[in-house]
Amino acid sequence: MSDFTLLKNLCQIHAPSGNEAPIKEFLLSYIENNKSNWKVEPQVIHGEEFQDCIILKFGKPRTAIFAHIDSIGYTVRYEDQLVPIGGPHAESGTKLVGEDSLGPIECELLITEDQQVKYKFGRAIDTGTDLTYKCDFRETKQYITTCYLDNRLGVFSALKVAETLENGVIVFSCWEEHGGGSVPYLIKYIYENWKVRNALISDITWVTDGVHPGNGVVVSMRDRNIPRRAFINKIVGLAQSSKIPFQLEVEANGSSDGREIQTSPYPVDWCFIGAPEDNVHSPDETVNKKDIASMIELYSYLMKKL
Amino acid sequence: MSDFTLLKNLCQIHAPSGNEAPIKEFLLSYIENNKSNWKVEPQVIHGEEFQDCIILKFGKPRTAIFAHIDSIGYTVRYEDQLVPIGGPHAESGTKLVGEDSLGPIECELLITEDQQVKYKFGRAIDTGTDLTYKCDFRETKQYITTCYLDNRLGVFSALKVAETLENGVIVFSCWEEHGGGSVPYLIKYIYENWKVRNALISDITWVTDGVHPGNGVVVSMRDRNIPRRAFINKIVGLAQSSKIPFQLEVEANGSSDGREIQTSPYPVDWCFIGAPEDNVHSPDETVNKKDIASMIELYSYLMKKL
Amino acid sequence: MSDFTLLKNLCQIHAPSGNEAPIKEFLLSYIENNKSNWKVEPQVIHGEEFQDCIILKFGKPRTAIFAHIDSIGYTVRYEDQLVPIGGPHAESGTKLVGEDSLGPIECELLITEDQQVKYKFGRAIDTGTDLTYKCDFRETKQYITTCYLDNRLGVFSALKVAETLENGVIVFSCWEEHGGGSVPYLIKYIYENWKVRNALISDITWVTDGVHPGNGVVVSMRDRNIPRRAFINKIVGLAQSSKIPFQLEVEANGSSDGREIQTSPYPVDWCFIGAPEDNVHSPDETVNKKDIASMIELYSYLMKKL
């Protein structure tokens, strides 16, 4: 069993935005089976008042990790039309999977000459069915390539951090890829109950002209949103003293669960920290293993020091 | 007196987003005069802490109906310029009505060759005056055509459902056509007081290549926002067992009060359910009477079963 | 010492969105040094639970003034690239200032032929450094010209109003130029503690075809957002009876702290009231002194009468 078996399992779960119940069930079962081996056993908070989200509370928390559990995908419209969930970037021929009233589906994506997005399948698929990429998990010495590293890798990293976490909160959130909707009540809960004022966004970012695979986890100084400078400076200072490899990001665009924390009615500081990937939102998202290692390390370090 | 007298009266009320006081007064008076004939007499909640909104509480509520009471229109800018309220789609020659310091106004819309929107009237109109379509209510055996079926029909349907409602909340909200602003405090109130976790959006949708007039009320599986799949599945299951005619919708765009429920800090599930119309946001919005009947029926059924 | 020394000092403070700590410190010190000379000494509310914001509470408040303290600017990306903070409008050659690990910076803005925004400086600047316009404060008999009248003039006006204010709240907010993020918790605090339901947005607007320099402070009837008509009517009525010069604005675009009040879960009415400027978001923002005078006068009047 390789170190990445858990990640591989996570990447294969069908859970596009709005339909996160399957990954919630997987996570609840995983946590139940593993938490007794963790350094501190967390309180597991879930249920109808949290829709398909899960909160893990360890010790006396000061900082919360947010890892979204939904993915991009497609919704079947009428006839053979598809409507995007989030911002998928796939080519004609991509394999899509799902299930409707007639049973399991494995079909093919078709982008027409006039840029319409359709499916090819032997029968009509029920209107409203959601489809996700068929997972083809590939591992080399240096890289992992698969669909849905965004954000199953953020979830994986949080679960690895959980193993040794003493004080903190881990939040598994929904709908991040499609406009959000769960962070507002999650942040309300953790602020009102535990006055947690620091949030780290465990998510995946982009390889760019300034961010390179293998150079370490990315600490994002800003994207479309601008976190508070005092908090970013503190994180960067800690990262520097940790000696863990990391790189800085500055972007004008892109967004995360941090956006909804920023606009929430709670004075919570946030910072996006995550591995960079190539082939964003495609079936071939690729991340360097070194960046995964430094992501887990930096999170573990920051959860102690913040 | 036809069955649609109330609807006709509603469509004639001048109440664009931000200026909902006239329809609030009409509704308060209508509710006062009729509630003693309803199966259950609701608590009527309104006043300065609710701006121009009204909440009706029946029995022990589990589900809330949201019907927005504002409409699209225009604001007079400087000289003869008009600025849209929401997204009106009207042609040159459309009759607009309103009132300013000099008295009542009935003027004509003019769209210039360079797509500027202006009014034609015998005198200058005060800056800031809001104008709405002049109502021309037309009824045939099968159809109703008028301005403002969106959303006076959603209000009408909610008032019809009120007649037999035993447990539930009906919310009359403001500003829906122009970015929202009342749903955040309304959902806060109904969740914090009664723990209501189901919301149905009583509003009007579009006739499209997959949604046809006369085929029944529309249950929307998604628009720009994606409600939680578990809730949609429950609604669709109930609708199927009800034998009431209905049709499914899947869209990439469009939005409603559901958007603000989705992004609120309360774990409330929502689903848009409403009759489809042709000639959206024009003075000639058209709805099939069968779809109005099935809208009222399905709401009555769901408010019992959810 | 001219009347505008305080304004000049405010315009020189480096405090782009996300990095408001320097102006918070300036304001706390100014308030500490001056509040004993004010008609009523306010309660000064600040600290980590308010990030870099400040709330001043005078007497028994009914109305709150919101003045944002952040400014537009640029963030250094990789190499010599700049990313905007908010919506700056500057030309090649504009002087920018800031500081990084190697010391103070005064560099020059460069807009390339393909519209990329860069800096010219003798050395590389640390990634993530934020830069603001170098202040060149110019005063004539009629006009003030400088960067950052938006919104240091709104802050200046609020501080002038503070001198004679008996009952009210003054809020210094952050992030307004870049999507917001502090108004949600500020409005929560002032509504939940003092049930304040009126808000005035002390900010700077645009000279247009309908708004002219020297004609008085602007009462905005709408911008991208539409405040509640009943509140606007009350303000306009009071402004008329005050005999203070003012002008009305109606716009389709533009936004302010009012947007976040509108979408907050509190039933707070708001109205934007501020002096108009030319050369918006440039280093040469220009405001007529008469409009500054009428801004301070109208605010003082409204805070008494509302």
Side-chain angles (χ1 to χ4, degrees):
Chain A
M1 173 176 154
S2 102
D3 283 318
F4 293 112
T5 304
L6 171 59
L7 178 60
K8 184 175 176 181
N9 290 340
L10 284 167
C11 290
Q12 287 170 333
I13 299 169
H14 176 79
S17 308
N19 192 6
E20 294 91 346
I23 188 164
K24 176 183 66 172
E25 294 310 324
F26 176 94
L27 287 171
L28 285 175
S29 162
Y30 176 88
I31 292 159
E32 199 52 41
N33 293 335
N34 289 275
K35 69 180 180 184
S36 61
N37 300 323
W38 295 350
K39 190 162 185 179
V40 167
E41 207 166 304
Q43 184 186 354
V44 184
I45 299 163
H46 66 101
E48 274 302 300
E49 292 200 27
F50 299 90
Q51 297 182 323
D52 295 319
C53 301
I54 303 169
I55 298 175
L56 304 180
K57 185 211 169 197
F58 299 77
K60 287 178 188 261
R62 299 174 309 274
T63 302
I65 298 173
F66 281 76
H68 74 85
I69 62 177
D70 60 308
S71 80
I72 54 163
Y74 298 90
T75 315
V76 175
R77 195 173 175 258
Y78 316 119
E79 296 171 352
D80 54 356
Q81 304 161 30
L82 294 178
V83 168
I85 298 169
H89 290 290
E91 291 174 8
S92 278
T94 297
K95 292 270 194 307
L96 300 175
V97 294
E99 191 172 345
D100 71 359
S101 64
L102 295 174
I105 295 153
E106 182 174 327
C107 61
E108 222 171 75
L109 183 73
L110 174 71
I111 299 180
T112 64
E113 282 185 11
D114 55 340
Q115 299 304 309
Q116 288 205 294
V117 183
K118 304 199 166 183
Y119 67 80
K120 277 171 66 181
F121 193 47
R123 62 168 175 86
I125 302 178
D126 290 349
T127 289
T129 302
D130 47 27
L131 303 173
T132 52
Y133 297 139
K134 185 181 181 188
C135 182
D136 177 17
F137 192 92
R138 287 147 284 171
E139 186 179 347
T140 66
K141 204 172 157 193
Q142 287 187 52
Y143 287 96
I144 306 256
T145 298
T146 174
C147 60
Y148 300 136
L149 287 173
D150 178 359
N151 185 35
R152 303 304 156 79
L153 178 52
V155 172
F156 173 80
S157 172
L159 290 170
K160 288 293 163 193
V161 172
E163 295 175 4
T164 59
L165 187 58
E166 292 179 72
N167 298 294
V169 176
I170 295 178
V171 179
F172 296 111
S173 66
C174 294
W175 277 300
E176 192 272 349
E177 296 288 4
H178 200 89
S182 69
V183 169
Y185 63 79
L186 295 165
I187 195 79
K188 175 177 161 71
Y189 188 87
I190 66 178
Y191 187 82
E192 292 188 350
N193 283 282
W194 311 310
K195 290 277 177 261
V196 167
R197 282 214 306 272
N198 302 325
L200 305 178
I201 311 304
S202 180
D203 200 347
I204 304 310
T205 186
W206 312 327
V207 168
T208 63
D209 54 326
V211 166
H212 307 288
N215 284 10
V217 61
V218 170
V219 174
S220 182
M221 301 185 78
R222 61 166 288 184
D223 49 25
R224 194 175 93 199
N225 295 103
I226 300 178
R228 195 159 66 117
R229 167 67 49 165
F231 188 62
I232 299 304
N233 287 352
K234 192 193 283 185
I235 302 258
V236 172
L238 286 168
Q240 281 164 346
S241 55
S242 76
K243 310 290 184 201
I244 299 161
F246 77 99
Q247 39 192 333
L248 292 173
E249 175 182 88
V250 170
E251 287 294 333
N253 301 305
S255 183
S256 73
D257 278 348
R259 178 183 60 82
E260 287 183 290
I261 293 171
Q262 172 82 8
T263 59
S264 80
Y266 302 97
V268 176
D269 284 313
W270 62 276
C271 180
F272 181 110
I273 302 178
E277 73 175 21
D278 259 319
N279 311 322
V280 173
H281 285 189
S282 83
D284 303 306
E285 295 180 349
T286 299
V287 171
N288 189 296
K289 287 179 180 179
K290 283 188 202 166
D291 300 333
I292 300 177
S294 73
M295 181 173 180
I296 297 166
E297 271 185 274
L298 187 59
Y299 266 93
S300 300
Y301 183 86
L302 289 173
M303 292 303 285
K304 274 196 201 108
K305 299 289 182 176
L306 272 174
Chain B
M1 174 177 152
S2 101
D3 283 317
F4 293 112
T5 304
L6 172 59
L7 178 60
K8 183 175 175 181
N9 289 340
L10 286 166
C11 290
Q12 286 170 334
I13 300 169
H14 177 78
S17 309
N19 194 5
E20 294 91 346
I23 188 165
K24 176 183 67 172
E25 294 310 324
F26 177 93
L27 287 171
L28 284 175
S29 162
Y30 176 87
I31 292 160
E32 199 52 42
N33 293 335
N34 287 274
K35 69 181 180 184
S36 61
N37 299 323
W38 295 350
K39 190 161 183 177
V40 167
E41 208 167 304
Q43 185 186 353
V44 184
I45 299 163
H46 67 101
E48 273 303 300
E49 292 200 27
F50 299 90
Q51 296 180 324
D52 295 318
C53 302
I54 303 169
I55 298 175
L56 303 181
K57 185 212 171 197
F58 298 78
K60 288 178 187 260
R62 299 175 309 273
T63 302
I65 299 173
F66 280 77
H68 74 84
I69 61 177
D70 60 308
S71 80
I72 54 164
Y74 298 89
T75 315
V76 174
R77 195 173 175 258
Y78 316 118
E79 296 172 352
D80 53 357
Q81 304 161 27
L82 294 178
V83 168
I85 299 170
H89 290 291
E91 292 173 8
S92 277
T94 297
K95 291 267 193 311
L96 301 175
V97 293
E99 191 171 345
D100 72 359
S101 64
L102 295 174
I105 295 153
E106 182 174 325
C107 62
E108 221 171 76
L109 184 73
L110 173 72
I111 300 180
T112 64
E113 280 185 13
D114 54 341
Q115 299 303 311
Q116 288 205 293
V117 182
K118 305 200 164 181
Y119 67 80
K120 277 171 66 181
F121 193 47
R123 63 169 174 87
I125 302 177
D126 290 351
T127 289
T129 303
D130 47 28
L131 302 173
T132 52
Y133 297 140
K134 185 182 181 188
C135 182
D136 177 16
F137 192 92
R138 287 147 282 170
E139 185 178 348
T140 66
K141 204 172 157 194
Q142 288 187 52
Y143 288 96
I144 306 256
T145 298
T146 175
C147 59
Y148 301 135
L149 287 173
D150 178 358
N151 185 35
R152 304 303 157 79
L153 178 52
V155 172
F156 173 79
S157 172
L159 289 171
K160 287 294 162 192
V161 172
E163 295 175 4
T164 58
L165 187 59
E166 291 179 71
N167 298 295
V169 175
I170 296 177
V171 179
F172 295 111
S173 66
C174 294
W175 278 301
E176 192 271 348
E177 296 289 2
H178 201 88
S182 68
V183 169
Y185 63 79
L186 294 165
I187 195 80
K188 176 177 162 69
Y189 188 88
I190 67 178
Y191 187 82
E192 292 188 350
N193 283 283
W194 311 310
K195 290 277 178 261
V196 167
R197 282 214 306 272
N198 302 324
L200 304 178
I201 312 304
S202 180
D203 200 346
I204 304 309
T205 186
W206 310 328
V207 169
T208 64
D209 55 326
V211 166
H212 306 289
N215 283 11
V217 62
V218 170
V219 174
S220 181
M221 301 185 79
R222 62 166 288 184
D223 49 26
R224 195 175 94 200
N225 295 103
I226 300 178
R228 194 159 67 117
R229 167 67 51 164
F231 189 62
I232 299 302
N233 287 351
K234 191 194 283 186
I235 302 258
V236 172
L238 286 170
Q240 281 164 344
S241 55
S242 76
K243 310 290 184 200
I244 299 160
F246 77 98
Q247 39 191 335
L248 292 173
E249 175 183 88
V250 170
E251 287 293 333
N253 301 306
S255 183
S256 72
D257 278 349
R259 178 182 61 80
E260 287 183 292
I261 293 172
Q262 171 83 9
T263 59
S264 79
Y266 301 97
V268 176
D269 284 313
W270 61 276
C271 180
F272 181 110
I273 303 177
E277 72 175 20
D278 260 319
N279 311 322
V280 173
H281 284 190
S282 81
D284 304 305
E285 296 179 349
T286 298
V287 172
N288 188 298
K289 288 180 179 178
K290 284 188 201 165
D291 300 334
I292 300 177
S294 72
M295 181 174 179
I296 297 166
E297 271 185 274
L298 187 60
Y299 267 93
S300 299
Y301 183 87
L302 290 172
M303 292 303 285
K304 274 197 199 110
K305 299 290 183 176
L306 273 173
Chain C
M1 175 176 151
S2 100
D3 283 317
F4 293 113
T5 305
L6 171 60
L7 178 60
K8 184 176 176 181
N9 290 340
L10 285 166
C11 289
Q12 286 171 333
I13 300 169
H14 177 79
S17 308
N19 194 5
E20 294 91 345
I23 188 165
K24 176 184 65 172
E25 295 310 323
F26 177 92
L27 287 172
L28 284 175
S29 162
Y30 177 86
I31 292 160
E32 200 51 41
N33 293 335
N34 288 275
K35 69 181 179 186
S36 61
N37 300 322
W38 296 349
K39 189 161 186 178
V40 167
E41 209 168 302
Q43 184 187 352
V44 184
I45 299 163
H46 67 101
E48 274 302 299
E49 292 201 26
F50 299 91
Q51 297 181 323
D52 296 319
C53 303
I54 303 169
I55 299 175
L56 304 181
K57 184 212 170 197
F58 299 77
K60 289 179 186 257
R62 299 174 310 272
T63 302
I65 298 173
F66 281 76
H68 74 85
I69 61 177
D70 61 307
S71 80
I72 55 165
Y74 299 89
T75 315
V76 174
R77 194 172 176 259
Y78 316 119
E79 297 171 353
D80 54 357
Q81 305 161 27
L82 295 178
V83 168
I85 299 169
H89 290 290
E91 291 173 9
S92 278
T94 297
K95 292 266 194 309
L96 300 176
V97 294
E99 191 171 346
D100 72 359
S101 64
L102 296 173
I105 295 153
E106 182 175 326
C107 62
E108 220 170 76
L109 184 73
L110 173 71
I111 299 179
T112 64
E113 281 184 11
D114 55 340
Q115 298 303 310
Q116 288 205 292
V117 183
K118 305 199 164 181
Y119 67 80
K120 277 172 66 183
F121 193 46
R123 63 170 174 86
I125 303 177
D126 290 350
T127 288
T129 303
D130 48 27
L131 303 173
T132 51
Y133 297 138
K134 184 180 182 190
C135 183
D136 177 16
F137 193 92
R138 289 147 280 170
E139 186 179 346
T140 66
K141 204 173 155 193
Q142 287 187 53
Y143 287 96
I144 306 258
T145 298
T146 173
C147 60
Y148 301 136
L149 287 173
D150 179 359
N151 185 33
R152 303 304 158 79
L153 178 51
V155 172
F156 173 80
S157 172
L159 289 170
K160 287 294 162 192
V161 171
E163 296 176 2
T164 58
L165 186 59
E166 292 180 70
N167 299 295
V169 175
I170 295 178
V171 179
F172 296 111
S173 66
C174 293
W175 277 302
E176 192 271 348
E177 296 288 3
H178 201 89
S182 68
V183 168
Y185 63 79
L186 294 166
I187 195 79
K188 174 178 163 71
Y189 188 86
I190 65 177
Y191 187 82
E192 292 188 351
N193 283 282
W194 311 310
K195 291 276 178 265
V196 167
R197 281 213 308 272
N198 302 324
L200 304 179
I201 312 305
S202 180
D203 199 346
I204 304 310
T205 187
W206 312 328
V207 168
T208 63
D209 54 325
V211 166
H212 306 288
N215 285 8
V217 61
V218 170
V219 174
S220 181
M221 301 186 78
R222 62 166 287 184
D223 50 25
R224 195 175 92 200
N225 295 103
I226 300 179
R228 194 158 65 116
R229 167 67 49 165
F231 188 62
I232 298 303
N233 287 351
K234 193 195 281 186
I235 303 256
V236 172
L238 286 169
Q240 282 165 343
S241 54
S242 77
K243 310 290 183 199
I244 299 160
F246 77 98
Q247 38 191 335
L248 293 173
E249 175 183 88
V250 170
E251 286 293 333
N253 301 305
S255 183
S256 73
D257 279 348
R259 178 183 61 79
E260 287 183 291
I261 293 172
Q262 171 82 9
T263 60
S264 80
Y266 301 97
V268 176
D269 284 312
W270 61 278
C271 180
F272 181 110
I273 302 178
E277 73 175 20
D278 259 319
N279 311 321
V280 173
H281 286 190
S282 83
D284 304 306
E285 296 179 349
T286 299
V287 171
N288 189 297
K289 288 180 179 179
K290 283 188 203 164
D291 300 334
I292 301 176
S294 72
M295 181 173 179
I296 297 166
E297 270 184 274
L298 187 59
Y299 267 93
S300 300
Y301 183 86
L302 290 172
M303 292 302 286
K304 274 197 200 108
K305 299 289 183 176
L306 272 174

